[in-house]
Amino acid sequence: MTVILGVKYQNKGSLSLVQTDKTYVKDTWLVVDTEKGADLAKVVVEAEQLTHSFPTTEQVLRLATSEDFKQAEQNKSRIEKELPLVKQLVSDHQLGMKIIDMAYPLDCSQVLITFTAEKRVDFRQLLRELAALLKTRIELRQLTNREESKVYGGLGPCGRPLCCSTFLGEFPPVSIKMAKNQHLSLNSGKMNGHCGRLMCCLSFEDDFYQEARDKFPDYGEKIKTDIGVGEVVGMDILSETVQLKFEDRQGSLTYSLEDIIVNG
């Protein structure tokens, strides 16, 4: 039986999903086999708490031991010594790169160095010098604006920690259409997150708004009421009300969706 667990890796704040053939209780530390090597991860969502699963190739290897934690501390100390040297090399080559993070798997078989840059970077010479300095296999990966925000974290306009750095495993697709479905102002700039892209939370309630919108009349539709025929000029999905404009009246009048359905 395949069990899906929600875990957080020691070097990441966001939620990841992993496969296992056993169940583990919350706060248990595990060693997980990832595409970058084995790493420590803590269970934050038990299997029975998941309502649905996602495809994942990351597998639980075993329970973490004191030796694993000791190795993780050694890796952390190694990064603290090497990171300034890496940043200095980048500065010497004047590549326009900003180093974000370094990460070693438990066996130190490779090192992942993440960075941001405004344009494409030719780091072939840098890669050779890094390999000579670090004495291991190097992977350089350029982060998008969203991924950078996920690494650094922060508070969103709602006052809570960023979704991407706390519980989101993967970035959901977000579009302007979702903002339109929720009747949000497209020119306010308030829909953008720390990354400068549309906020991920716009996707959370999109299904609700799409389903609710089906119950409403279209803009411009003519609705018969007790005082005449009005044209739909506005609607509020949450309060289930519609604004109607009448030719012989100034402004608009608000009707409940239920009254519109009954009278229409």
Side-chain angles (χ1 to χ4, degrees):
M1 179 183 68
T2 299
V3 176
I4 304 295
L5 297 174
V7 303
K8 286 188 177 181
Y9 291 100
Q10 58 170 348
N11 299 319
K12 302 178 185 177
S14 57
L15 177 72
S16 297
L17 298 175
V18 300
Q19 296 183 18
T20 178
D21 55 1
K22 299 179 181 179
T23 57
Y24 297 95
V25 298
K26 190 176 180 180
D27 295 329
T28 300
W29 280 93
L30 307 170
V31 175
V32 179
D33 183 24
T34 75
E35 61 178 4
K36 306 302 179 186
D39 202 359
L40 287 176
K42 183 170 72 171
V43 177
V44 293
V45 181
E46 298 178 18
E48 58 269 24
Q49 295 175 323
L50 290 173
T51 57
H52 54 285
S53 61
F54 297 88
T56 174
T57 58
E58 299 177 353
Q59 302 273 350
V60 174
L61 296 177
R62 53 182 170 79
L63 287 170
T65 66
S66 58
E67 289 299 315
D68 295 320
F69 288 104
K70 182 179 179 180
Q71 183 61 54
E73 283 299 315
Q74 291 176 356
N75 292 354
K76 182 179 179 181
S77 298
R78 179 176 178 178
I79 290 172
E80 290 174 352
K81 295 178 182 178
E82 294 175 344
L83 188 55
L85 301 177
V86 172
K87 290 182 177 180
Q88 185 59 52
L89 269 180
V90 171
S91 178
D92 292 343
H93 284 272
Q94 299 180 342
L95 294 176
M97 299 166 56
K98 177 184 176 183
I99 300 298
I100 301 300
D101 195 18
M102 289 178 60
Y104 282 101
L106 287 177
D107 60 5
C108 292
S109 58
Q110 62 176 311
V111 59
L112 172 65
I113 301 175
T114 52
F115 69 94
T116 58
E118 294 184 0
K119 56 184 180 180
R120 188 180 181 89
V121 178
D122 182 359
F123 47 68
R124 287 173 292 183
Q125 180 59 35
L126 173 66
L127 194 57
R128 286 190 286 268
E129 295 185 26
L130 285 175
L133 172 68
L134 304 178
K135 302 294 191 297
T136 190
R137 187 160 65 90
I138 313 291
E139 179 180 347
L140 286 167
R141 184 161 71 89
Q142 184 169 351
L143 300 183
T144 64
N145 291 343
R146 276 187 163 187
E147 291 171 328
E148 184 180 5
S149 294
K150 186 173 185 175
V151 171
Y152 282 122
L155 296 179
C158 60
R160 297 177 62 84
L162 298 182
C163 300
C164 59
S165 61
T166 51
F167 66 88
L168 281 182
E170 300 292 337
F171 292 110
V174 188
S175 67
I176 285 292
K177 184 179 178 181
M178 294 178 179
K180 291 180 178 179
N181 289 341
Q182 299 175 41
H183 294 175
L184 298 176
S185 172
L186 302 182
N187 299 319
S188 66
K190 296 181 179 180
M191 295 184 299
N192 293 339
H194 285 222
C195 59
R197 306 286 299 278
L198 291 173
M199 291 189 294
C200 295
C201 57
L202 288 174
S203 67
F204 297 168
E205 298 178 348
D206 188 56
D207 289 343
F208 163 77
Y209 278 95
Q210 289 193 56
E211 293 174 5
R213 180 65 181 82
D214 291 339
K215 298 186 295 183
F216 283 77
D218 293 327
Y219 282 100
E221 187 173 333
K222 304 294 184 179
I223 302 294
K224 183 179 179 181
T225 72
D226 54 349
I227 61 172
V229 177
E231 178 184 349
V232 177
V233 294
M235 61 186 70
D236 188 324
I237 290 179
L238 294 180
S239 63
E240 294 195 333
T241 56
V242 175
Q243 286 79 49
L244 299 180
K245 182 176 179 57
F246 298 86
E247 292 183 358
D248 57 347
R249 293 175 178 267
Q250 292 290 330
S252 60
L253 297 179
T254 300
Y255 286 79
S256 71
L257 181 62
E258 183 178 355
D259 288 341
I260 292 296
I261 294 175
V262 171
N263 293 326

PDB file of all heavy atoms in Angstrom, residues 164-179:
ATOM      1  N   CYS A 164       3.191  30.173  -0.390  1.00  0.00           N
ATOM      2  CA  CYS A 164       4.209  29.395  -1.090  1.00  0.00           C
ATOM      3  C   CYS A 164       5.310  28.919  -0.159  1.00  0.00           C
ATOM      4  O   CYS A 164       5.939  27.887  -0.411  1.00  0.00           O
ATOM      5  CB  CYS A 164       4.816  30.216  -2.232  1.00  0.00           C
ATOM      6  SG  CYS A 164       5.588  31.762  -1.701  1.00  0.00           S
ATOM      7  N   SER A 165       5.562  29.655   0.927  1.00  0.00           N
ATOM      8  CA  SER A 165       6.654  29.280   1.826  1.00  0.00           C
ATOM      9  C   SER A 165       6.168  28.516   3.049  1.00  0.00           C
ATOM     10  O   SER A 165       6.962  28.190   3.934  1.00  0.00           O
ATOM     11  CB  SER A 165       7.423  30.530   2.276  1.00  0.00           C
ATOM     12  OG  SER A 165       6.584  31.419   2.982  1.00  0.00           O
ATOM     13  N   THR A 166       4.859  28.227   3.114  1.00  0.00           N
ATOM     14  CA  THR A 166       4.337  27.494   4.265  1.00  0.00           C
ATOM     15  C   THR A 166       3.710  26.151   3.900  1.00  0.00           C
ATOM     16  O   THR A 166       4.137  25.114   4.375  1.00  0.00           O
ATOM     17  CB  THR A 166       3.300  28.346   5.026  1.00  0.00           C
ATOM     18  OG1 THR A 166       2.328  28.854   4.100  1.00  0.00           O
ATOM     19  CG2 THR A 166       3.971  29.521   5.730  1.00  0.00           C
ATOM     20  N   PHE A 167       2.692  26.165   3.006  1.00  0.00           N
ATOM     21  CA  PHE A 167       1.999  24.897   2.770  1.00  0.00           C
ATOM     22  C   PHE A 167       1.887  24.492   1.301  1.00  0.00           C
ATOM     23  O   PHE A 167       1.564  23.340   1.012  1.00  0.00           O
ATOM     24  CB  PHE A 167       0.584  24.935   3.373  1.00  0.00           C
ATOM     25  CG  PHE A 167      -0.346  25.911   2.726  1.00  0.00           C
ATOM     26  CD1 PHE A 167      -1.100  25.542   1.626  1.00  0.00           C
ATOM     27  CD2 PHE A 167      -0.472  27.194   3.216  1.00  0.00           C
ATOM     28  CE1 PHE A 167      -1.959  26.438   1.020  1.00  0.00           C
ATOM     29  CE2 PHE A 167      -1.336  28.103   2.618  1.00  0.00           C
ATOM     30  CZ  PHE A 167      -2.078  27.721   1.520  1.00  0.00           C
ATOM     31  N   LEU A 168       2.121  25.407   0.365  1.00  0.00           N
ATOM     32  CA  LEU A 168       1.987  25.037  -1.044  1.00  0.00           C
ATOM     33  C   LEU A 168       3.143  24.149  -1.478  1.00  0.00           C
ATOM     34  O   LEU A 168       4.311  24.526  -1.330  1.00  0.00           O
ATOM     35  CB  LEU A 168       1.951  26.288  -1.930  1.00  0.00           C
ATOM     36  CG  LEU A 168       0.633  27.045  -2.015  1.00  0.00           C
ATOM     37  CD1 LEU A 168       0.768  28.217  -2.976  1.00  0.00           C
ATOM     38  CD2 LEU A 168      -0.498  26.140  -2.460  1.00  0.00           C
ATOM     39  N   GLY A 169       2.820  22.974  -2.026  1.00  0.00           N
ATOM     40  CA  GLY A 169       3.873  22.119  -2.565  1.00  0.00           C
ATOM     41  C   GLY A 169       4.330  22.586  -3.931  1.00  0.00           C
ATOM     42  O   GLY A 169       5.512  22.741  -4.206  1.00  0.00           O
ATOM     43  N   GLU A 170       3.380  22.836  -4.814  1.00  0.00           N
ATOM     44  CA  GLU A 170       3.663  23.317  -6.160  1.00  0.00           C
ATOM     45  C   GLU A 170       2.886  24.610  -6.396  1.00  0.00           C
ATOM     46  O   GLU A 170       1.856  24.858  -5.772  1.00  0.00           O
ATOM     47  CB  GLU A 170       3.247  22.270  -7.209  1.00  0.00           C
ATOM     48  CG  GLU A 170       3.965  20.935  -7.067  1.00  0.00           C
ATOM     49  CD  GLU A 170       5.442  21.025  -7.389  1.00  0.00           C
ATOM     50  OE1 GLU A 170       5.823  21.963  -8.130  1.00  0.00           O
ATOM     51  OE2 GLU A 170       6.210  20.186  -6.915  1.00  0.00           O
ATOM     52  N   PHE A 171       3.382  25.445  -7.291  1.00  0.00           N
ATOM     53  CA  PHE A 171       2.682  26.684  -7.600  1.00  0.00           C
ATOM     54  C   PHE A 171       1.452  26.383  -8.451  1.00  0.00           C
ATOM     55  O   PHE A 171       1.563  25.745  -9.498  1.00  0.00           O
ATOM     56  CB  PHE A 171       3.598  27.637  -8.360  1.00  0.00           C
ATOM     57  CG  PHE A 171       4.730  28.176  -7.536  1.00  0.00           C
ATOM     58  CD1 PHE A 171       6.033  27.772  -7.793  1.00  0.00           C
ATOM     59  CD2 PHE A 171       4.496  29.064  -6.511  1.00  0.00           C
ATOM     60  CE1 PHE A 171       7.082  28.258  -7.037  1.00  0.00           C
ATOM     61  CE2 PHE A 171       5.543  29.562  -5.754  1.00  0.00           C
ATOM     62  CZ  PHE A 171       6.834  29.159  -6.013  1.00  0.00           C
ATOM     63  N   PRO A 172       0.270  26.833  -8.029  1.00  0.00           N
ATOM     64  CA  PRO A 172      -0.934  26.606  -8.842  1.00  0.00           C
ATOM     65  C   PRO A 172      -0.960  27.567 -10.026  1.00  0.00           C
ATOM     66  O   PRO A 172      -0.397  28.665  -9.949  1.00  0.00           O
ATOM     67  CB  PRO A 172      -2.077  26.915  -7.864  1.00  0.00           C
ATOM     68  CG  PRO A 172      -1.489  27.939  -6.942  1.00  0.00           C
ATOM     69  CD  PRO A 172      -0.028  27.559  -6.780  1.00  0.00           C
ATOM     70  N   PRO A 173      -1.595  27.187 -11.126  1.00  0.00           N
ATOM     71  CA  PRO A 173      -1.754  28.133 -12.237  1.00  0.00           C
ATOM     72  C   PRO A 173      -2.707  29.255 -11.836  1.00  0.00           C
ATOM     73  O   PRO A 173      -3.769  29.006 -11.266  1.00  0.00           O
ATOM     74  CB  PRO A 173      -2.339  27.269 -13.358  1.00  0.00           C
ATOM     75  CG  PRO A 173      -2.988  26.116 -12.654  1.00  0.00           C
ATOM     76  CD  PRO A 173      -2.184  25.869 -11.416  1.00  0.00           C
ATOM     77  N   VAL A 174      -2.317  30.497 -12.095  1.00  0.00           N
ATOM     78  CA  VAL A 174      -3.126  31.666 -11.740  1.00  0.00           C
ATOM     79  C   VAL A 174      -3.265  32.533 -12.981  1.00  0.00           C
ATOM     80  O   VAL A 174      -2.287  32.751 -13.701  1.00  0.00           O
ATOM     81  CB  VAL A 174      -2.484  32.485 -10.604  1.00  0.00           C
ATOM     82  CG1 VAL A 174      -3.436  33.578 -10.138  1.00  0.00           C
ATOM     83  CG2 VAL A 174      -2.106  31.589  -9.430  1.00  0.00           C
ATOM     84  N   SER A 175      -4.479  33.028 -13.237  1.00  0.00           N
ATOM     85  CA  SER A 175      -4.716  33.831 -14.438  1.00  0.00           C
ATOM     86  C   SER A 175      -5.560  35.059 -14.120  1.00  0.00           C
ATOM     87  O   SER A 175      -6.223  35.123 -13.074  1.00  0.00           O
ATOM     88  CB  SER A 175      -5.422  32.997 -15.510  1.00  0.00           C
ATOM     89  OG  SER A 175      -6.738  32.662 -15.077  1.00  0.00           O
ATOM     90  N   ILE A 176      -5.527  36.024 -15.031  1.00  0.00           N
ATOM     91  CA  ILE A 176      -6.345  37.229 -14.893  1.00  0.00           C
ATOM     92  C   ILE A 176      -7.830  36.870 -14.863  1.00  0.00           C
ATOM     93  O   ILE A 176      -8.635  37.532 -14.202  1.00  0.00           O
ATOM     94  CB  ILE A 176      -6.057  38.194 -16.060  1.00  0.00           C
ATOM     95  CG1 ILE A 176      -4.702  38.887 -15.848  1.00  0.00           C
ATOM     96  CG2 ILE A 176      -7.140  39.243 -16.192  1.00  0.00           C
ATOM     97  CD1 ILE A 176      -4.674  39.855 -14.684  1.00  0.00           C
ATOM     98  N   LYS A 177      -8.190  35.791 -15.565  1.00  0.00           N
ATOM     99  CA  LYS A 177      -9.595  35.370 -15.582  1.00  0.00           C
ATOM    100  C   LYS A 177     -10.108  35.081 -14.182  1.00  0.00           C
ATOM    101  O   LYS A 177     -11.274  35.347 -13.862  1.00  0.00           O
ATOM    102  CB  LYS A 177      -9.756  34.135 -16.472  1.00  0.00           C
ATOM    103  CG  LYS A 177     -11.202  33.676 -16.630  1.00  0.00           C
ATOM    104  CD  LYS A 177     -11.304  32.467 -17.537  1.00  0.00           C
ATOM    105  CE  LYS A 177     -12.751  32.001 -17.651  1.00  0.00           C
ATOM    106  NZ  LYS A 177     -12.878  30.798 -18.508  1.00  0.00           N
ATOM    107  N   MET A 178      -9.245  34.535 -13.321  1.00  0.00           N
ATOM    108  CA  MET A 178      -9.652  34.245 -11.943  1.00  0.00           C
ATOM    109  C   MET A 178      -9.985  35.535 -11.203  1.00  0.00           C
ATOM    110  O   MET A 178     -10.928  35.584 -10.418  1.00  0.00           O
ATOM    111  CB  MET A 178      -8.539  33.484 -11.213  1.00  0.00           C
ATOM    112  CG  MET A 178      -8.267  32.099 -11.755  1.00  0.00           C
ATOM    113  SD  MET A 178      -6.907  31.290 -10.884  1.00  0.00           S
ATOM    114  CE  MET A 178      -6.879  29.699 -11.746  1.00  0.00           C
ATOM    115  N   ALA A 179      -9.190  36.579 -11.444  1.00  0.00           N
ATOM    116  CA  ALA A 179      -9.472  37.875 -10.817  1.00  0.00           C
ATOM    117  C   ALA A 179     -10.789  38.444 -11.327  1.00  0.00           C
ATOM    118  O   ALA A 179     -11.574  39.020 -10.560  1.00  0.00           O
ATOM    119  CB  ALA A 179      -8.329  38.837 -11.091  1.00  0.00           C
TER     120      ALA A 179
END
